[in-house]
Amino acid sequence: MAQKIMSTGRGGAGKSTFVALISRYLKPPSLLIDLDPDLSLADMLGVDFGKEKKRTVSEALYDVIEKRRGSSGTVTIFELMESLLWSDCLYESKGFDLITLGTKLTEGCFCPPDELLKRTIPKLAKNYTNVVIDSPAGVEHLNRNIASDINDLFVICDPSEKSLKHIVRIRDIMNGVGIRYNHFYLVANYEFDEETEEYLRNRGEVYLGKIEYDANLEENNLKGKSLLELPENSPALLSVKRILAKAGYQIR
């Protein structure tokens, strides 16, 4: 059974950065699932869906819905989409596989693509050692309960009062909607100093450490280069490596 990992937190805290960096150290094979509509995780991993002729879940689902309009077929949209997830939406590489939700193409909420992922994540997980979910900003995605069983939840924090309140909201919502988790971890982003780190250490949660500032990481993001190209002595990589080790992961 795959280890299910989720990265969550406020917008801009560094959720996608954390997922991109830990993907370098997790025991393969790993499936990364990007629930953020802006495709930032793919960019950080150097994956161009257009060049790879892959589609987001929302794009593929939209096409299926359009083709089904007026049809009286007995096969459901979700049954049609399950096969497309493998053929059209799954980007495969040596280090990881990637599926991304993408931007919604119809009016309304993300309910159809979310429901599709909710149904298929348990099936997909059978083929991987790790399933890593990069959450969108905020807490609304938690209410949709896309993944109800999480082994390790990593809450990426920024040094603000809103971020501290966000920690409480995350726990309350997860407990309220029935999302089960084994570990609830706090991780500080690079903006924390020693004084503000103390707030996280004294929260009563398991604090794993801080993602260190890395000029090369900032430059790679600015130029659209993959974070997987960072050198082994990268401060950000080394700090994430320590965070994973503290959480009990075997580093590859």
Side-chain angles (χ1 to χ4, degrees):
M1 181 63 69
Q3 176 93 347
K4 293 181 183 177
I5 302 162
M6 180 180 285
S7 172
T8 192
R10 291 200 330 129
K15 301 179 297 297
S16 298
T17 298
F18 181 74
V19 171
L21 295 178
I22 67 172
S23 70
R24 186 155 168 170
Y25 295 118
L26 295 175
K27 182 180 178 181
S30 292
L31 172 65
L32 313 182
I33 301 176
D34 186 4
L35 298 183
D36 197 328
D38 68 3
L39 308 181
S40 58
L41 181 58
D43 293 337
M44 290 180 179
L45 294 168
V47 179
D48 187 323
F49 269 55
K51 288 184 179 179
E52 299 294 337
K53 297 182 179 180
K54 295 296 179 182
R55 294 190 289 173
T56 68
V57 173
S58 294
E59 287 171 338
L61 183 58
Y62 174 80
D63 288 346
V64 169
I65 291 173
E66 287 300 300
K67 289 177 183 178
R68 288 269 298 181
R69 288 189 186 278
S71 171
S72 58
T74 57
V75 180
T76 68
I77 288 174
F78 291 115
E79 288 172 329
L80 290 171
M81 271 301 301
E82 282 190 11
S83 62
L84 286 179
L85 280 178
W86 294 105
S87 61
D88 287 22
C89 302
L90 182 66
Y91 168 81
E92 298 175 273
S93 72
K94 183 178 179 181
F96 60 87
D97 292 354
L98 173 65
I99 286 178
T100 187
L101 180 66
T103 305
K104 64 180 179 179
L105 301 176
T106 58
E107 293 184 2
C109 67
F110 274 106
C111 298
D114 285 345
E115 179 62 25
L116 175 66
L117 286 174
K118 183 176 180 179
R119 292 186 184 201
T120 54
I121 285 175
K123 298 177 183 178
L124 293 168
K126 295 177 182 178
N127 301 289
Y128 296 94
T129 304
N130 303 286
V131 173
V132 188
I133 299 172
D134 180 19
S135 300
V139 294
E140 175 57 31
H141 66 95
L142 297 174
N143 286 311
R144 299 197 292 270
N145 202 351
I146 298 171
S148 57
D149 287 288
I150 304 295
N151 293 101
D152 292 339
L153 178 73
F154 293 89
V155 183
I156 315 302
C157 306
D158 63 81
S160 68
E161 182 183 4
K162 288 183 178 179
S163 186
L164 297 179
K165 290 180 178 178
H166 195 72
I167 296 168
V168 178
R169 291 183 66 200
I170 288 171
R171 185 182 282 282
D172 287 347
I173 291 174
M174 293 184 75
N175 291 339
V177 302
I179 298 177
R180 296 173 292 276
Y181 53 87
N182 294 341
H183 301 105
F184 190 101
Y185 294 131
L186 301 185
V187 175
N189 71 7
Y190 72 91
E191 298 173 298
F192 280 79
D193 56 25
E194 290 186 11
E195 182 180 352
T196 50
E197 262 194 285
E198 282 301 310
Y199 285 100
L200 292 187
R201 292 192 182 98
N202 297 326
R203 289 289 303 179
E205 312 286 357
V206 179
Y207 175 62
L208 296 179
K210 169 183 170 181
I211 303 172
E212 296 294 341
Y213 174 75
D214 189 333
N216 287 330
L217 186 153
E218 193 172 72
E219 182 179 2
N220 279 29
N221 276 336
L222 182 63
K223 294 182 177 180
K225 295 173 61 178
S226 172
L227 299 189
L228 300 179
E229 298 176 9
L230 291 172
E232 282 295 335
N233 64 352
S234 152
L237 275 175
L238 291 175
S239 60
V240 163
K241 192 175 183 179
R242 290 193 295 269
I243 287 168
L244 285 179
K246 194 171 181 180
Y249 285 78
Q250 291 185 343
I251 307 300
R252 63 165 174 158

